[in-house]
Every structure is written in structure tokens, then in C-alpha cells.
Amino acid sequence: EGKTLRFAFQGTLNALDPYSLNETFTLGMLGNVYEGLTKRDKDLKIIPGLAESWETIDPLHWRFHLRKNVTFSNGDAFNADDVLFSAERVRADGSDLKTRIPADSEWKKVDDYTVDVTLKTPNPILFAEWDTWYIMDKEWAEKEGATKPVSAKDTNPGPAAYKANGTGPFTIESHEPGVKTVFKRRDGYWGEKLIDTNLDSVVFTPIASDSTRVAALLSGDVDLIEPVPVQDIDRVNKDPNTAALTGPELRAIFLNMNQIRDELPTSNVKGKNPFKDPNVRKAFYQAIDIEAIDKRVMRGLATPIPLLIAPQLYSAPDLKRWPYDPEAAKKLLTDAGYPDGFTVGMDCPNDRYVNDEQICQAVVSMLAKIGVKVNLNAQPKAKYFAKVLAPGGYDNDFSLLGWTPSSFDSWNVFVSLATCRDATGKGGPFNLGGYCNPKVDELAKQIVVETDVDKRNQMIHDAYKILLDDTSHIPLHQQSLAWGKRKNLDIVQRSDDQVLFYWAKLN
Amino acid sequence: MTATLSVRNLRVEIPTRHGVLTAIDDLSFDIAPGEVLGVVGESGAGKSITGSAIIGLLDPPGRIAGGEILLGGERIDNLAPPAMRRVRGKRIGMIFQDPLTSLNPLYRVGDQLTQTILTHEKMTARAALDKAERLLVEVGIPAAGARLSSYPHQFSGGMRQRVVIALALAADPELVVADEPTTALDVSVQAQVISLLKRLCKDRGASVMLITHDMGVIAETADRVCVLYAGRLAEIGKVRDVVKHPQHPYTHGLMTAIPSLKGDPDARLEQIPGSMPRLGAIPEGCAFNPRCGFRFERCRAERPAAYPTSRSEASCFLLDAAGAAPPPETAAAARAAGIEVRAGAPTGADA
Amino acid sequence: MLAFAIRRLIQAVGVMLVVALISFLLFRFVGDPVNQLVGVDTTPEQRAQLRQDLGLNDPVYAQFGRFVGKAARFDFGISYQIKQPVADLIASRLPATLELSLVSAVFALLVGLPMGVYTGLYPQTLLSRLFLALSLTGISLPTFLIGILLIFIFSVNLGWLPSFGRGEVVTIGGFWTTGLLTRSGLSSLILPAITLGLFQMTLIMRLVRGEMLEVLRTDYIKFARARGLSSRAINFGHALKNTLVPVITITGLQIGSIIAFSIITETVFQWPGMGLLFLQAVQNVDIPIMAAYLLLIAFLFTIINFIVDLLYVAVDPRIRIGGAGA
Amino acid sequence: MTDAIRVKEEQPGVLSRILRSDLFYSFRRSPITVISAAVTLVLILAALFAPWIAPHDPFDPASLDIMNSLLPPQWTADGQAGFLLGTDDQGRDVLSTILYGMRISLAVGFASVVLAMALGVTLGLIAGYVGGITDTIIMRVADVQLTFPAILTALLIDGVARALAGPQAYEEIVFFVLVLSIGLSFWVQYARTVRGSVLVEANKEYVLAARLIGLRSSAIMFRHVLPNVVGPVLVIATINLALAIITEATLSFLGVGVPPTQPSLGTLIRIGNDYLFSGEWWVTIFPGITLAILALAVNLLGDWLRDALNPKLR
Amino acid sequence: MSAAETRTARPAISPPDTAPLVEIEGLGRVFDLSKRWLNRVLDGSGKVMLTAVDGVSLSIERGGTYALVGESGSGKSTIAKMVVGLLPPTSGSVHIAGADIWAERGLARQRQLHRRIQMIFQDPYASLNPRWRVGSILAEPIKAFGLAADAAAREARVGELLSLVGLDPRDSAKFPHEFSGGQRQRIAIARALASEPEFIVCDEPTSALDVSVQAQVLNLLRDLQQRLGLTYLFISHNLAVVRHMATRVGVLYLGRLVEEAPARELFAAPKHPYTKMLLDAVPDIGMEGVERPSIAGEIPNPINPPSGCHFHPRCPHVMPQCRTVVPPSYAVGDAKVLCHLYDGTDHAGTARSAP
Ligand SMILES: Nc1ncnc2c1ncn2[C@@H]1O[C@H](COP(=O)(O)OP(=O)(O)OP(=O)(O)O)[C@@H](O)[C@H]1O
Ligand SMILES: Nc1ncnc2c1ncn2[C@@H]1O[C@H](COP(=O)(O)OP(=O)(O)OP(=O)(O)O)[C@@H](O)[C@H]1O
Ligand SMILES: [Mg+2]
Ligand SMILES: [Mg+2]
């Protein structure tokens, strides 16, 4: 006898095409329906998925053995053609997940259940992100006319935007973006032993308003909400029927300072860019009382971090935060030639990270104490990202960002956030501040091909050290996951924040 | 024979921010069966309020503060609302000044008529409709049957006032109170309506209280006239007497101030100085005394009662046979004006 | 009557064209739509091509003409954000909003009208004063606060009513979803409908009261009294009917703002209607949705106006028969 | 000379004329109105003098200490001296923030009402007095405007302004955007009312008399007609003021208002809204009460004014 | 203050004093009451024109009072407005002291002309701007026409005007609502006098007033006429008042001047059947208790007036040609009559049966 899980999230699930949007929540939800060649277990360890096993023939050649007797939810059998099709599709125009597999890799079908991949450069973490590269059914896509990813510029969206056909334990019964999505448990799932659920269906509803979402949980209208605003965790725990599920999240929150512009458009300093001076950056760093933010804004549900990565993924005893020291900060600022501070505009999302806007406000008032006047522009994430990632501009002087390396590996951090970029985005694509140190670029290049773990770790350490010394960014904290659930729900909370129904049980 | 309507010492008060105004003060008069009593007075004299008081529809906050009103010998001023409702329409019909606004624009004329008839008389809807049509015929509306289903705005002013008259007479009341029934009408139509009203009431034996400020209408229509000044009775008597031989100085002034189609057109109109006082500022003593050419001491100190003369009754000390005499010049002037000065005279000196 | 209908139609078309122009200008003003359409990695050449393909290089009037032509065929393009045809999105959200608006309008009328009549008839009683005070409080509290407080009390603390959403819906005729046929749908409707209708309810109540007070002072009411008609006949037959004319107009106008205010209510209650869609569109600068919503509102408004005018004609014979008499 | 002096002493002072007027009388007679007037006045003054009476300056980020955040009101167990009504999530003193926020709310309210009034009255006067095609055009524009209820207009203008101005500049113009949005959505009411009154007034004989003197239309419109139609305009203005303040709050709630660093009452409520369930009720309740009291008082004044100026209801 | 003083500023009048001051020639006014174009097309209805004034010609002697009488809607006010320049005529002309007030070009000339014509309105409550002090109301025309050198002179003049109409100069500080109806009408008269006109149109100046006050205002108007040599066009539906004021009377019926005669003659021997009926129908204080025949029928709809002589449906002497032919103006003694009875032939037993 099946049960229905009612789940509410703050954001909406838009297009169902698994290659349209590289975003944790969307990929997590689709992970209930689709599967990759690999999967991750409850502890995020990579386990075989649609590939039963794989081997490196040499550093440039990989072989994947596919699982047999797997069917898509429409009944089609899964085989090598589907993998090749997916590898093609994920790299096609309009895909947001192009980086999942190297653009220049070659894919070959050996037999129906064996696939060979040929690389141009060695890649020790080739399949690190393949748990979210979902395999699609070639026949289905061709029949539905969904062979191309649904992209922004499409004027008639493919059916993949509102239909799904995966190998996973759930299917999507109905999907109304922004209203409701109904997942149904399917028969004939190959991996019954990997999952543990008594759910028959899942009804997902977006509830944007924090208080409504919490109210919905407290009143029993939903069984699971994400996120619980940190301030409401107590309340949720106090209620006899509900509980908060918290745990570390792998996301690092940090501030970007634009060092690539010659002049900051939002600043009163003309003719030069104060952020080009490491002292100014360090002054900013030391002016921020991260403990206070974590205690007050985050209510203890955050861990200050010294690096741009969660400690669970990488830490080193000698890489520590610069201490909070407003006096020193003031002095650094004076030394840099700004005894009275200056003005700068700050961009901040207000619906993306936990209490993002409040963090920014706290930063504003802390910087005010060393004389820096920050004009805060807090905006919804859609606008925020459109602005700070604007093509050809990276329009931000000072901004807040969060990052989870999808491969859970530091290399992703460097290439995404810290390697040199030009204005058009060649280079570190999410390096909003445009920090550039050739040494870091060089290290990143080596890290990606280095297969010796110790050597690789040393190089990672060196790179982080440079970033810290340069004050390339201002790392703030690692935020926590906070889900709210009815007491009768058991669910696994993985620290990558994916909500996976196949580990949920309603009692 | 009891009077159809008998108003005894009526007093109407209106509480306002400036204190309690006395809109009608100690007013008494009778209307005999079948009689037409004209009530005249200048704007604000209290004519409409008298009418409203009689039918029990004083606008709040106005209230009857004293006196009594008797209809066919029964008191009606203290009836409970449901009982009073049965008097209204059934025993007293009312006609207001403006026929345009008196009729509900959203209802057919026939519906308004039958509704009124059925409220007061037990009969079938069919019969009521017949009666409605008869009424319209009576008030002289051509093609009455067809017009029953017309809306008020489809009638002309004169027609509408005829409909209003039909409505007022629908339940055959014994008294009709007509408050300026023709002021809103054209000169040539006025006469038609007035004579219609008069004829219909005569046919039914109904008494009429005709409120107007037009002395001409009164002169031609009424049997008796009651002149109000500042909420008080100035003079009451037969129309011919009051018009030709006014006894109250105010009435006298009024009659000479009205231009007439007779008489010398070039003669200067007599004018009464000043204007009627506002209710809040009615002078002590006789309300008219500041404007009166014949006033003497007593007028400022005391309020005159209505004193009978050979023709009419008037509230003026000149006529108080038992009162102190006015200065001789005043008395002489008054006599010259045709007022039967009796004050200071030992007995009736009116022979 | 025919002329009236035709004139209305012409006016409606005029209004719609103006609104279409505004919507169209939104497209133009808010920036290059190409930037909204394509990703980071699109080259300038591709952009230019896309611009050409979309006809953005044509003269403005040609573009406007095309926009109107498409809009007339309910083609509003694809949502930037959701990647679905805007027309489909709106169509799927329309029932929710209309149902909510309609129910709250009915609620506002059913409660506001009697309250207005009562306070108009008995302006001095304690109950009237209470109603008035309540109504003033009703328009002094922002809608969103009322909604939140209602959720707090009735969902969280008392647990009587659902806190969000539309509950279970039934699809009728293949396209119209309704919550009116299920228990959960009905109970979900209560709080949002009250939240949305409260303001209108107070408005109607105050309007009816004011009109009632005025009508009760008119000569024809006085004359009706003088004819001895019963209070019932006077108050409800004569007075109420005459207050209806202005009440109809204002209520008609208010339905337009009910739909607009549903934006807030839908946000608070996560009601899956057009308002929610629109608000998200505003936040995401999803112009096709904004433009379509505007046109739709204008369209609904025009229809409502038309119905109001027809009602007018039904209520007021002076209009029905034409000509203002003598 | 003596004449002039006599005239002067005869002429009662403005104050005494006001004190003797019917309006003032009906005002004095209604205790609720007196109270709401007093409350409105106090609130306006408090907002006006916020920098002098507020214990803290909540708009100065340097004075904030995040460690003071979410302190409960002073009289509760955990309250802290100096923060009478507690603090919000940024450590701003709620009392001071309310005072400052009220400044913004009132400023937006007043400015938008003035804008709507100026626009509506002028257009209404012109439409009513000039008539003809001008009238038709103005009233059709009003129809289109009516198609867009206030919230919608505001959202649209806000959206366009944001897109046009860019985020940093937007912050500087947000006040004007709000005023424009709210003002634009309210003008129709004035225009219609004024037009209606003008149609009545323009046929009154005093206007004909003015035309006989050969005055220009504009002089007649503004000097003769306008003063006679201000009554209903004032009533609408009062009621609109309350509505404008609430609309501003609502817009803030929808996220299109003033920035949270310089919150208005509405923004404060929106912020506080997030802390309702967690027990930090004071962040939202106090601004909410203030807003409600302000709107209620102004509404009561408007109500009174409407009844007092309506001769039919006297 | 004497009358002479108040007239010092008046410019010399050019034409010889014997010529009439006001000459109205063939004055007509048509109002377009058509439905909207679309309705007309759909209903197949034509344009709807209301002829409010139809070919009215009259002249007013200097210092005389010409009275226009007629029922509501007969076009009295429309004529008044066309004469003072508030409403353009559709046909005909209005000459004042020889100058055509509607043909005159040039703002200065026009204003100069308008200064000489003023108007007193019916409703004393509506004719004074309730928001203005009496002083400002009276000062406005003085300022507008530049009739006083400075503010002090203006103030003095205002005081003079107030005294002239029997009010206290101190009243200038008051507002209109502080006055009674009669006093307001005096203020309105003072305003009309402020521009030192020689011709005043009085449109029912006393019909809103009480009889006792009416006498005051009528007397005042007559006094002022004597003192200032004013000329009046006096409009009223009250025949008794007209008889009291007028030197010459015109009777209007549905926009046409059906009879025009010296006042005495008109009242003594009315010629037109309508005039007779009017005189019979009007209730008069001097005729108490007399039951009189009232006019049959109601005023016809001016939009669709009867053919021929407009009065024929109500006329007791109706003849066949009345229904078809518009009667021309016949001179009968000093009177002019628009009636076929006076076409020279003998209509036995009809007209001549009247006095
Ligand atoms: N509600 C009220 N408050 C104050 N005064 C009032 C009120 N109602 C009537 N009055 C006054 O009562 C007096 C008498 O009014 P009423 O209507 O009876 O006069 P009227 O003789 O009928 O005058 P008219 O000829 O103008 O109709 C007037 O002075 C009027 O101002
Ligand atoms: N502006 C206008 N538009 C249309 N018709 C008008 C206009 N002004 C006057 N009329 C019509 O012209 C006719 C004459 O009107 P006018 O006001 O001159 O009559 P009157 O004799 O002054 O009547 P009253 O005694 O009622 O003042 C009436 O039928 C009236 O309806
Ligand atoms: Mg009266
Ligand atoms: Mg007239």
C-alpha cells in the first residue's frame, strides 16, 4: 500500500529536460527519474549506476560496461546507443551541462553494452560528475522530437521540457511548472535493492514564501519542506509533529571583489580600482566578523571557512582564515590610501542562499565601521545571475556567491572560480571578481592531469595558499542544509542537497 | 361636526449644533371637511415642516415637541409607527413639490400605483390594476391603460404631477396635504394641476391643506388661508378677508409687496425692510417686530397670541383688545393701513 | 442597443490596442529581447542572426503589427523562464485565478451588501458602528498581512484550513480545472478568498451604506413613506434597487482590481494562478508573460465593463428606453 | 483709511473662522475624529523629527551591530536597555526603524497623492471645462488607466524603471519610481470626480458671470472653478493617502519597494514576516501595528471629512 | 455718493440718443441634440435639431425696460445669453449702440463692448462664487476692465457699489453664504454695475426670492435705472412682475416672439391667443376665488414643434392655415403679433371675440 509524499521547495521546477539547467535542485529532482552512468550513495561515494563497471585502458582510453536488463519508464531497453546519444546531446547547442564530458572526447559503441571513450588529455576525474549527467532514451527522444536540448532560444520547446522518460525509480505523471509536479513510483526498476522507500507517489509544490512554506509544514499540509529558514528551525523542532533535518552542505559562500576592471562603476574612486590593491581586499576580509554573522544571521548553522571549498571536501591545518580585526582593517585601508574609506556597490541575491540578503546587509554594516560605504543591491536570483554573469561584462564590483564543486573536487573550484578570465568569459567562468594569478592557472592545468594523489594534493594546497595570500576572494562560510519534515517521515539528507525520494519512507 | 384635521399648539423642534431650533411654535388651526386651507409663508417659514409633522414624516432630527394633531378627532401625532403607516396614504394623502423626484425612476407607474393600492386595500392584483387605470383616467392621462407600463421619465412634468396626485388619492384619503404641488411646473400647466386637484378632492369630499408661497394660487384656490411667519401663525382667515383686509402688519406688507395684474403698474411696490429671521435668531417678543412699521414696546417683550378680529385672527398686539395701547401715531398709521386696531380700546371697537 | 454594443466593441478594441502597445513597448524598452533569449556563450554573429530571424530589425510598426496579429491568435511566444508557450501557461493558470476572484467577489457581495444595507438603514445602532469600525480596519491593514495572519491562526494554530495551494482539482471539459468540486479544493479556497475579498467587501459595504443613506433621503422614498408603504417595501423594494446602479458600476470596476490584487493573495497562499505567474515573471523580467498578462487583464476588464453596462441597462429603465424624457 | 481699519477688525482671523466653521464643529463633536487627527499628527511629527527623537540611526550601517540582532522588546525577560521595542535581524532598533520607516512611507504616500492630485485635478478640470474631443481623449486615457489597477501599474513601472535604470541607479530613483507608480494609478479618481464637479460648476452662474468679465478660460478654471471642487478632492486625497501607504507596503512585500537597508514600514513588515513563526514577533508586529494605526487614523479622518463635506449627509 | 459720480468713467456714447440702444435682428439659435453618429446610422434616424430661438427681432430704447415672458423652455435664457455674448447665435445679429457684438473682432474692442453689457442671474445662491469674499467678487470686474487706478481706488469703488445697492461697505469682507438671498441678489447687482454698464440683462432676477424680498429687489432695479439711466432686458415668467417693470413686452412661445407690444397695451388688450391664455391662466392675488379656464394641453416638445403656428394645438381659435403656415408678423397698433387672426381678413367669431 503506497503513500504519497508532499514536498515543497522554495523554487520552481521548470523545464524537465535534464540538460537545460545545471542547477542542484533541478538535477536532484530529475535524479528521481533519470540516472547517470554512475550514482552516488548516501555518503556521496560514487557507485556504479547504469554502468556496472568501468576501466581505464590507458590514461586516454576508458571503457564502460553497461548494465543489462534496464528499461526506461516507457519500456524501451537501455543500451549503448542511448549512452552515445546522450553524450552527443549533452554537448549539443543549448545544453547547460556541456562540461560534464570533455568536448573533444570520442565515444564509440563496442557492443550493445560496452562503450569506449577516447580523450585528448588525461582526466583522472572524468566521471566525477556523471551522476548528474542523465542518460536519455534515444528512441524516445527521436520519437518525441527531443533530440536537441531545450534551450533558452527555442521558440517551440521540445517535449523534453514537460515530459520525462528515465531509468530511475520514479516517473513524472504530470508537470505544471510553478504549480505542481507529480512523481509516481514505477514498476520494473532495476535497482530496487539500492533504494528504500514505501512511497507510491510524490507531489511537489513550489512555495516561494518562507512563512507560507513553514506554515504548510506546521499545519501538516506538506510532509517535507526545503529549506527551513534558519530562524524557524527552533519552531519546527518544538512542534511535536515536525522536526528539522540539518546537516552540513557542501556549498561555500564567499564574496567576490572585482579586480579586473580599471575603474569600479559603482565606486566614488575614479581612475583606479581599489580592489586591485591586495591590502584593500584584505582590509575588507578582516573587517568582516564572520563569527557574528554565523551566530546571528545563521543562528549557528554555518561553519566559517578559510577556503573556497567546504572543509569536508578539502582542508589543510595551515590554511586558516585571516583573523577578524577591524583595527587592522582600518589600518590596511589607510595604508592603501583610503583613510576615509570609499563607496562601492554590492550585488547580492536574495533568494538563492540561506539568508543571503541578511548576510550582505551584515557585511554592509561591518564595512561601514571601517568607513566603506556599500550600496547594497539585493535582487532575485534570476536577475542577479543575469547581471553578474552578463555576457561580455560580469557586471559586478562586489558580490556574494555560493559554490559547490559538482565533482566535489578542488580542481573544479579553481577552474570555475579562480583562473584568469577575460571579459567575455574565456577562462574561469564563475570568477566574478576576475582574479588572475598565472601561478594558479598553471597549477590548475597540472592538477587536472596529475594522477598521483599526493602530488595532486600538494598542488591543490599550493593553489589554495596563493588564493589565501592574495585574498582573491573573501570566503565566508559553509552553509547548512535545513529541511523540515513531519516526524513520520524518514528521509536521507545527502550533503549535496539533492532531495531523493527513493530514500524516503512515510510511517 | 369635527374638523377633518385639527392642529393644536403644535411645536416642532430641530436640535442642531446651535441649540434647539423651534421650527414651529405654538401653531393651531383646523381644516373642516371638504375645506381647502391654504398655508402660505416665505421660504423657511415652516410650511413644509407643518405638513411633514402632520403626516408624521419629519426628517430627523426634527421632532414634535408639543401640541397635538387630531385627524377626525383622533390623535395621530403619538401613534406607533405601524399604526401611523396605516394613516399615511390611507387617510392622509401627500403630494410633494417636485413630481420628477417624487416618483421612483426605476418602477413603472402602474407598479407604483398598484403597490400603493394593495398596501391599503384588500383586493386582487387585477382589481388593483383596474383601479390604477381608473385613477389615471381620472387625473386626465390619455391612453391610461397603456401608460400604466411606462416609466416616470417617459412622462412630461405636468403628467408626472398628475400621476403623483393619482398616487396620493389612490386610497381615497380624507385629507390631502399638498406641499407646493405646482411650483416646479410651468405657468400654464400650474393652473390645470391646481384645478384638477381641487376638483378631485371636492368630488371625494376630501379636505386639502395646500402649502404654497404663491399668494396668487391661494387666492384662487383656497377657502381659508393661514399665513406663517418664522414658524408662527401670523394670520388665519377667509381668503378674501386676508387678501383684501390683512390684519397682521406682515400680511399687510406682503399683500402690498406682491405685484398684481390689477392696479397701477407704475406704483412703487411696498417693501418690507429686511428678511425673515433665521430660526436660530428669532427676535424676542413678536418675531416680526424688527421689520414692523407699527411696533411698540410690547412687541419686543411679549409674544402675541392669535387675536380675533371681525374678519380673521392675527397674532398682533394691535389687535389685543385687552392689551396696552400703542403710541397714538402708530395706531393711526395702522388704522390707515386698514388694520382694526383694538389695543387700548375698552371693548370691541370694530363696528 | 446595437449601437451601444458596437460602440463598446470599438472602445474595447481601442483599449486593447493601447494595452497592446504598452505591452509591446515593454518588449522594446526593457532591453534587447535577444539578450533575454540566449545564453552566455552566444556569439555576436549568432545574436545578429537571431535578431534578424525574430524580425527585430523590421520597422517598429511592422513589429507592432506582427505582435498584435499574433496576440489576436493568442500567440504570445515562449516564456523566457519556463520555456513553454505563454498562452498555454496562462490558460492553465487562468481557472485558478478566475475561480478565486469570482469566489471572493461573491463573498464580498454576499457579506458586503447586507452589511451595507444594514448600516445604511440603521446608521446609529451599535452593530452598525461595529461594522463600520471593522470595515475601516479592513482597509487599513495590508492584504498580505491579513493573509499571513489568517494562515497563522487558521492553519498553523487551529489547523482547520489548508495553508496554501488549491487542494485537489477536477478537470472539466478537458481544460478547465476547478477546486469547487472537491472538499480539499473548497477548504483551500476559504482563506485566500477571504483575504482577497475583505478589501472589496468593506468597499462594497461602505458604498452601499453611502448610497443607501442618500437614497433614503430622496423625495421618492419620502413619497413612498407618505403613501404608507411598508418599511420592507421601501427599504428593499425602493431603496435597495436604487442603490444598485452605482453599486454595480463600482463592483464591476472592483473585479478588475480583485484580479490585480490576487497577485498578492496568490503569493501569500501559493495559489497557482496567473498572479503568481505574473509576479514571478516580473521578478524574472519574463516579458512575454508580462505582456500576455496585461493584455488578458485588459481583455477581462473590457468584458466585465461590458457586462456591467448590460446590467445597468437591466436595472435602470432610463437607459433601457433611451432618451431622458421631458 | 479708517475704512480699511474697520474692514480689518470686522474680518475675523483665519483661526477664529476655522474655529467657528461647521467643519470644525463636526470635527469637535466626534471624539474618534479628534483622536485620529491627534494620532495622525503625532505620527507625522514623529516621522518628521525622527532623526531627533529616534534613539538610534537605523539607516547608518556603521552604527549597527549584528550582535544586537533580534533582541526582544525591552520589557521582556531578554530585553536590553536602549532597544525599547527590540531589534530586527540586522540589529536595528525597531522603534527607530519604525520612525525612520514611517518617514519613507509617509513621504511616498504624500508625494504620490500630490502627484495623483495634481495630475487628476488638472486633467479633470481641462476635460470638464474644455469638453469635446479633449474631454473624450482624457476620459478614454482614464479608461485605459483604470484597466490597470494600482498594483499592476506599480509593478509595471517598477519593472521598466529597473530595466532602464540599472540596479545602482535604481536605488537612487526608487523613491520616484514608487511615487510615480502609485501616483499614476490614482489620478483617474480625481480626474473623474473633478470632471463631474466641473460639469456641474461650469454651468453655475458665477462662472457665467466670470466669463462675462472676459476672463481667460484658465483663470476661470483655476481661480473660480477649482476652489469649488476641492471638497471631494480632499476627501479622496485623505483616503488615498492611507491607500498609498498601504500600497507602498504591499509593493515592498512584493519585493519592488525601497531597499531593505533603508526600510519603509512595508519593507519592515516584509522582513519581520520571516520571523513570525520563530517567535521574533516584534519585528513585524510593531511596524504592522504602526502601519495599521496610521492608515486607520487617516482613513477615519477621510471618513469624517467625507461625511462632513457632504451636505446631503448632514 | 451720487449717481453722477458713479458715471464719470463712462465714455461718451457716439450715436444720437434717440436710436435704440439694443437692436436684435432675426436672432436664432439651434442646438444639435443628435444622437451619436453610429446610433443615427444604425437606427436610421436623422439629426435632431432643437430650435431654441427662432428669428427674434426686437429693439430696446435707451433707458427702457424690455421684458421677455414665456414659459419654461421658450428660449428666454438662450436669448439673454446670446445678447450678453455668452452663447454665439446661429443666425441674426445683436447690435449694441450700433456695434455688432458678435461680429466685432479684436479682443480689446470686444472687451470694451462687453463691459457695457452685464447680466444678473436668476439664482442668487449660484451666481456668487462661494469661495470668494464679496470684496473680491466686486473687485474682479473692476480689475479686469482696468477701471480703477490702484488697489485703494478699487476698494473705494467696491464700497461705493455696496452702498449703491443698499449694503454696508464693511460687508466686503464677508463670504456670500453670510448673506440672505435678497442681499446676495443685491451683491450680484453690484457686481453687474461694477463694470459700469449701460445695458443689463436680468434673467429672472427675482424668481428665486421671497415676495417680500422680491419687492426690495424690483424697487432697487427701478431706482438704479432712474439714477444711472440703465437699459434693461428683463426676463421673467411672472406676468405680474413684468407688468410692474416693463415698458415694452415680448411674449415668447417655443422660441418665437409671438407678440410684442408696449406693456400697457399688452396687458390691457392682449392680441395673440397665447398671450390671452397666459394672462388668464396665471393665478393672481387680485383675482381671488375666481374659477378660470386653464390653458388646455401642455407645451409641445421643442425638438419636434407643431407645424405652422407652434401654438395651434392649444389654440381655441385654430384655423386651417395655422397648421401649415408660419404666421408672419402683423402690426396691430403698436403691437406686433405672429397670428393668422390678424392677417387682415375677418375671421368671424374668433379673434374679435376677445377684447
Ligand atoms: N434638519 C434641519 N436642521 C436645521 N434647520 C432645519 C432643518 N430642516 C428644516 N430646517 C429649518 O426649518 C425651517 C422651516 O423649514 P420648511 O422646510 O418647513 O420651510 P418652508 O416654509 O417649507 O420653506 P420653502 O418654501 O423653502 O419650502 C427653515 O428655516 C429650515 O431652515
Ligand atoms: N446648451 C443647450 N443644449 C441643448 N439645448 C439647450 C441648451 N440650452 C438650452 N437648450 C434648449 O433650448 C430651449 C430654450 O431654453 P432656455 O433656457 O432659453 O429657456 P427659458 O425660456 O430660459 O426657460 P426657463 O424658464 O426654464 O429658464 C429649451 O428647450 C432647452 O432645452
Ligand atoms: Mg417647503
Ligand atoms: Mg431661463
Side-chain angles (χ1 to χ4, degrees), chain A residues 217 225 228-230 232-239 242-247 301 481-487 493:
Chain A
L217 177 72
I225 62 169
V228 179
V230 289
D232 290 331
I233 288 176
D234 273 356
R235 174 77 167 88
V236 168
N237 277 330
K238 237 182 264 161
D239 193 293
T242 59
L245 206 57
T246 57
L301 278 172
L481 295 176
W483 300 2
K485 62 177 195 84
R486 304 292 296 172
K487 282 246 171 82
Q493 186 181 44

Side-chain angles (χ1 to χ4, degrees), chain B residues 180-232:
Chain B
E180 316 222 12
T182 57
T183 334
L185 302 178
D186 271 322
V187 230
S188 64
V189 184
Q190 274 183 11
Q192 299 171 7
V193 171
I194 288 279
S195 63
L196 172 75
L197 179 65
K198 206 173 160 184
R199 180 168 54 76
L200 289 180
C201 291
K202 192 174 246 165
D203 291 351
R204 279 153 220 255
S207 313
V208 182
M209 174 169 156
L210 179 62
I211 296 171
T212 177
H213 61 252
D214 187 340
M215 269 314 290
V217 170
I218 295 282
E220 297 192 357
T221 317
D223 302 316
R224 289 195 307 140
V225 60
C226 157
V227 183
L228 294 186
Y229 185 81
R232 303 168 187 197

Side-chain angles (χ1 to χ4, degrees), chain A residues 446-472:
Chain A
Q446 292 170 15
I447 290 166
V448 72
V449 294
E450 181 56 64
T451 44
D452 182 318
V453 174
D454 286 343
K455 265 206 217 153
R456 192 167 182 271
N457 275 346
Q458 185 55 45
M459 285 191 264
I460 289 174
H461 180 275
D462 293 349
Y464 277 131
K465 179 98 176 73
I466 297 173
L467 294 185
L468 185 60
D469 290 342
D470 281 354
T471 322
S472 66

Side-chain angles (χ1 to χ4, degrees), chain A residues 383, chain C residues 277-286 290, chain D residues 155-156 158-159 256:
Chain A
K383 284 194 204 161
Chain C
L277 186 71
F278 177 71
L279 192 71
Q280 283 163 0
V282 168
Q283 280 162 0
N284 298 326
V285 204
D286 198 339
M290 290 162 74
Chain D
L155 282 174
L156 275 182
D158 185 84
V256 288

Side-chain angles (χ1 to χ4, degrees), chain E residues 80-159:
Chain E
K81 284 181 189 162
M82 290 191 289
V83 169
V84 295
L86 283 175
L87 184 76
T90 27
S91 61
S93 63
V94 178
H95 284 84
I96 172 124
D100 187 335
I101 67 158
W102 284 106
E104 206 55 61
R105 292 273 165 263
L107 206 66
R109 276 288 291 164
Q110 238 171 16
R111 293 190 72 178
Q112 202 50 41
L113 258 177
H114 282 160
R115 191 182 65 71
R116 297 161 67 176
I117 318 171
Q118 281 300 316
M119 183 154 172
I120 299 165
F121 298 92
Q122 169 177 4
D123 186 352
Y125 293 86
S127 64
L128 302 177
N129 192 333
R131 307 270 158 179
W132 284 36
R133 284 174 199 281
V134 168
S136 324
I137 293 175
L138 294 184
E140 196 184 29
I142 303 176
K143 207 169 0 182
F145 294 118
L147 298 177
D150 54 18
R154 208 156 51 225
E155 205 170 298
R157 175 77 181 132
V158 166

Side-chain angles (χ1 to χ4, degrees), chain B residues 47-48 179-180:
Chain B
K47 308 182 293 291
S48 298
D179 188 356
E180 316 222 12

Side-chain angles (χ1 to χ4, degrees), chain A residues 32-35 50 69-78 165-172 183-192 195 197 199-201:
Chain A
N32 292 299
V33 176
Y34 285 103
E35 289 172 304
L50 291 177
N69 300 323
V70 174
T71 54
F72 288 96
S73 57
N74 69 346
D76 288 354
F78 160 75
N165 178 38
T167 58
F170 285 88
T171 59
I172 289 180
F183 295 79
K184 270 261 154 29
R185 185 82 163 80
R186 67 174 274 221
D187 297 327
Y189 174 56
W190 63 269
E192 289 293 346
I195 63 177
T197 176
L199 299 181
D200 180 50
S201 59

Side-chain angles (χ1 to χ4, degrees), chain E residues 97-330:
Chain E
D100 187 335
I101 67 158
W102 284 106
E104 206 55 61
R105 292 273 165 263
L107 206 66
R109 276 288 291 164
Q110 238 171 16
R111 293 190 72 178
Q112 202 50 41
L113 258 177
H114 282 160
R115 191 182 65 71
R116 297 161 67 176
I117 318 171
Q118 281 300 316
M119 183 154 172
I120 299 165
F121 298 92
Q122 169 177 4
D123 186 352
Y125 293 86
S127 64
L128 302 177
N129 192 333
R131 307 270 158 179
W132 284 36
R133 284 174 199 281
V134 168
S136 324
I137 293 175
L138 294 184
E140 196 184 29
I142 303 176
K143 207 169 0 182
F145 294 118
L147 298 177
D150 54 18
R154 208 156 51 225
E155 205 170 298
R157 175 77 181 132
V158 166
E160 249 172 60
L161 286 166
L162 283 171
S163 318
L164 193 62
V165 296
L167 294 173
D168 193 312
R170 279 176 293 178
D171 287 338
S172 73
K174 293 191 188 163
F175 282 94
H177 69 259
E178 297 172 62
F179 294 89
S180 71
Q183 289 170 319
R184 281 166 189 241
Q185 202 58 306
R186 287 166 189 262
I187 296 167
I189 294 172
R191 173 181 56 196
L193 295 176
S195 64
E196 299 165 13
E198 47 211 285
F199 176 48
I200 296 181
V201 176
C202 312
D203 190 0
E204 316 221 14
T206 60
S207 64
L209 299 177
D210 281 330
V211 264
S212 72
V213 179
Q214 165 176 289
Q216 297 170 9
V217 171
L218 293 180
N219 285 343
L220 173 66
L221 285 173
R222 270 171 68 157
D223 291 348
L224 290 170
Q225 182 167 44
Q226 272 160 23
R227 284 170 67 183
L228 307 178
L230 296 169
T231 306
Y232 291 141
L233 176 62
F234 190 92
I235 291 171
S236 180
H237 60 253
N238 187 332
L239 287 170
V241 168
V242 164
R243 178 166 176 268
H244 184 71
M245 295 292 290
T247 49
R248 205 173 167 82
V249 180
V251 180
L252 275 175
Y253 190 73
L254 282 189
R256 290 185 190 155
L257 204 54
V258 294
E259 177 164 359
E260 200 212 13
R264 266 171 202 286
E265 198 178 322
L266 186 114
F267 285 98
K271 308 255 169 351
H272 197 282
Y274 174 64
T275 317
K276 287 180 203 159
M277 292 193 104
L278 214 50
L279 282 174
D280 282 346
V282 174
D284 188 68
I285 178 178
M287 310 191 177
E288 82 282 357
V290 197
E291 192 77 53
R292 285 185 298 178
S294 53
I295 305 184
E298 299 200 25
I299 314 175
N301 183 354
I303 295 174
N304 191 8
S307 58
C309 171
H310 289 337
F311 187 61
H312 81 252
R314 301 170 82 186
C315 182
H317 312 298
V318 59
M319 301 176 295
Q321 68 261 45
C322 299
R323 300 201 169 86
T324 50
V325 185
V326 180
S329 176
Y330 298 106

